[in-house]
Amino acid sequence: MRQYPLWVGILLACSALSARTVSAADLKILPGDIMLTGPHASQRLLIAAEEGGAVTGDQTAQATFISANPAVAVVDAGILRPVGDGETTITATVDGKQATAKVKVVR
């Protein structure tokens, strides 16, 4: 039987939920710590709304993304891509709430 990373299960659980606006919920970027190796590496980001420790919705489509250092990595349509070696932080914003993820790139 094939095993998948935990975040894949969370993604599937979130996609089964209807999209809701983030009000009292917290946001989380999944995965939270990312390593991109090679010039063609990429990582799809999931923005999960959490309330009381439980995932309550997938907010990826509503999120805007900003890289603290676009010379290292950028996000386009929810896909993280490497630009150059280094480290940066990606910030996702939905309805004024923010979540961050650390990124390390080795091209």
Side-chain angles (χ1 to χ4, degrees):
M1 176 180 245
R2 186 171 180 175
Q3 293 183 341
Y4 294 93
L6 176 62
W7 67 269
V8 171
I10 294 170
L11 172 64
L12 293 173
C14 288
S15 66
L17 300 172
S18 63
R20 301 177 192 165
T21 59
V22 179
S23 55
D26 292 322
L27 291 181
K28 187 176 220 178
I29 298 179
L30 300 173
D33 289 318
I34 305 158
M35 172 87 144
L36 297 177
T37 304
H40 303 292
S42 67
Q43 175 68 57
R44 178 173 295 280
L45 301 178
L46 171 72
I47 310 306
E50 290 186 331
E51 193 165 353
V55 174
T56 58
D58 177 358
Q59 298 293 308
T60 308
Q62 293 80 25
T64 57
F65 297 92
I66 296 174
S67 175
N69 188 349
V72 173
V74 295
V75 180
D76 182 32
I79 306 291
L80 178 66
R81 300 195 190 281
V83 177
D85 290 346
E87 296 183 13
T88 190
T89 300
I90 299 298
T91 302
T93 303
V94 177
D95 293 337
K97 295 207 176 247
Q98 294 185 329
T100 60
K102 296 178 183 179
V103 178
K104 183 174 182 177
V105 174
V106 179
R107 290 180 38 107

